[in-house]
Amino acid sequence: DSYTCQCCGNNKSGNLIAHHLNSYNSDKEHRTDVNNGITVCKKCHKEFHDKYGYGNNTAEQFKEFLKYKYDNTEVK
């Protein structure tokens, strides 16, 4: 992901997290699969989990989250 948040484009060092698309706790088979991860900043990661909770999250929820973020972003 070129060390860049895939939600907002933030690329500040020390501010990025590897987010599991399908939860670490529920998709044990793919815990370490790079295709089950995406780079997000701490703010977007918190926003995602504030909306969907922690645990049993899915890649589908993340797609929905991105759509929500982009559809509700004011373009200037």
Side-chain angles (χ1 to χ4, degrees):
D1 291 336
S2 300
Y3 304 100
T4 303
C5 176
Q6 299 303 294
C7 293
C8 71
N10 186 312
N11 62 358
K12 292 181 183 172
S13 178
N15 189 41
L16 300 174
I17 296 171
H19 172 74
H20 289 89
L21 293 169
N22 291 308
S23 286
Y24 181 87
N25 66 323
S26 63
D27 191 2
K28 295 176 183 177
E29 182 180 339
H30 297 106
R31 281 182 175 175
T32 59
D33 183 346
V34 295
N35 296 311
N36 185 38
I38 192 162
T39 304
V40 294
C41 69
K42 291 177 181 178
K43 180 181 176 199
C44 289
H45 194 238
K46 182 179 180 332
E47 285 177 14
F48 173 84
H49 285 296
D50 284 350
K51 183 170 177 66
Y52 294 99
Y54 288 84
N56 300 319
N57 299 116
T58 66
E60 204 53 45
Q61 286 175 326
F62 192 78
K63 288 179 194 173
E64 184 178 284
F65 175 72
L66 285 179
K67 183 177 179 348
Y68 169 81
K69 273 194 77 83
Y70 286 116
D71 286 350
N72 290 303
T73 301
E74 190 176 316
V75 179
K76 295 180 181 182

